[in-house]
Amino acid sequence: MIKPHRHVDHKTPRHPKKIASTSTLGVITFTLLFLTHLTSASADGISETRTISSSDTADSASATADSSSDTADSSSDTTEQAKVIDLSVDELPSRQRITLGKIPSNQSMEVRFRLKNRQQAAIQLQSIRADCGCLRTVIDNKTANQHQTAQWTALLAPSTRAGQIARKLWIDFDSSQDDSLELTLEAEITAPISLHPSVLHVSGDSEILYIRGKQENGIKIQQCFALRDTLRIQGIKNEDDSFQIETRPLLSFGRTSDLLRFQYTRAGKPEHVDLPIQIHHSRAARFLPSSLPITLNDGQSTVRTRVLLVPGTDLNPNEIRLSLDEDHPDNRGFTIADKTWHQTSKVFIEYEMRIERSPSLEQCSKEPEKDGTGQIEKTPLQNINAGTLKVVATDQNGVNLATLWLTIPESQPKNPPNSYLLPH
């Protein structure tokens, strides 16, 4: 079994075959040798396995050295880091997790694996499979007798998304994929730009959201936009080592996640990086839709609407109260005369309510009163049919959960309907 010094994941071998062991305990030894050099080669997004015979190894190494020397004299956009990892084999199949550490964004990494055969029988690498096109593999030495070493190289392409990544390799021995070594490569992609914090808690009423972060010296942000279109970028303010972005959230309910793409220059060269961000809205409910047009028939209208609850919320539908906001000026003279509801699912509540206009409002609007000295209009409402009503849903503590806007058009049809049906 191929086992690490740390993070061991044991698995019962199905076909020991050529690779046998007298013990189920083995040791994987990590030797991390950091080598820095420049390369002009980069991953093209295609997973590729290439076999190099042992007789070609010396020529290949010489060619690589010449290529590295030539590349060092020329400019390159990505700096390739190299690690060497030593493994020892006891039995197969086996799974292993390997931590590669931190990798700067826009830079590739080369990982060279040396698998020492501690068995009496020889081992032979048949193929290497990758779960992502960002991994290219090369078998440098596919056969290893006792105490010899099989070698292969994995090239991880540059990544522009900051955060944790995990990639998998399956190294197949002999002709059966049952005798395989599964390697999970984990790394953290770091960037010269970071968000502080990357998880934002905001009110459902927030129209403007400020996002702050840090940037390394020499970095100047040119542009930023949300890849999933949950935010609109209003402006960017650069400072020495920090920045502030003014945004307008396009969603104001539940939890949203997005990627902010930053385009910037470093040492005069353009680069970009994608930073993940989460926005948690405080409201646990919302009307769906949040605005409706209504028509009045004899001073009243029946409205049907839905309330959507955040999945997993502990909000009790019996404690939700619907009312007209007393502070909203257009609500004066209107009341909710009657309302009923029923819950259709764990997240949906359907409501039906009757909106009525006070008769006194219509009378005061038609005939202004006189006080003996002149005419005084007590209700200066120019059009009794026009306006926007504000309906709020509150919990038992009076906290506003959601807002519904009811728009009354200025002109009503001659025979208006007395209800507005829910859209399907």
Side-chain angles (χ1 to χ4, degrees), residues 47-64:
S47 181
E48 177 183 277
T49 300
R50 183 164 54 91
T51 302
I52 302 177
S53 64
S54 58
S55 61
D56 297 335
T57 303
D59 296 336
S60 175
S62 176
T64 303

Side-chain angles (χ1 to χ4, degrees), residues 290-311:
S290 58
S291 62
L292 291 173
I294 65 171
T295 54
L296 294 173
N297 184 16
D298 295 331
Q300 64 179 1
S301 177
T302 300
V303 178
R304 295 184 179 93
T305 185
R306 294 187 183 99
V307 168
L308 174 64
L309 305 178
V310 172

Side-chain angles (χ1 to χ4, degrees), residues 243-357:
F243 62 89
Q244 177 177 281
I245 304 175
E246 181 179 316
T247 69
R248 181 170 64 88
L250 301 182
L251 301 175
S252 60
F253 175 73
R255 298 184 176 184
T256 60
S257 61
D258 210 323
L259 287 174
L260 296 184
R261 171 158 293 180
F262 289 86
Q263 295 177 342
Y264 59 93
T265 57
R266 177 163 54 178
K269 295 183 179 180
E271 294 182 2
H272 76 270
V273 68
D274 301 330
L275 302 183
I277 188 171
Q278 293 185 23
I279 302 176
H280 297 180
H281 298 278
S282 59
R283 289 192 171 177
R286 66 159 295 179
F287 284 98
L288 193 67
S290 58
S291 62
L292 291 173
I294 65 171
T295 54
L296 294 173
N297 184 16
D298 295 331
Q300 64 179 1
S301 177
T302 300
V303 178
R304 295 184 179 93
T305 185
R306 294 187 183 99
V307 168
L308 174 64
L309 305 178
V310 172
T313 182
D314 56 356
L315 186 63
N316 187 349
N318 291 298
E319 298 174 351
I320 300 177
R321 301 290 182 263
L322 298 188
S323 62
L324 289 168
D325 188 354
E326 297 177 355
D327 296 331
H328 188 63
D330 287 354
N331 287 353
R332 290 197 297 267
F334 288 86
T335 58
I336 298 179
D338 187 28
K339 53 182 176 292
T340 59
W341 67 273
H342 68 280
Q343 190 166 3
T344 59
S345 69
K346 293 182 178 180
V347 296
F348 272 115
I349 306 174
E350 290 191 356
Y351 285 91
E352 180 176 309
M353 52 187 161
R354 189 172 75 254
I355 305 294
E356 289 187 353
R357 185 181 62 232

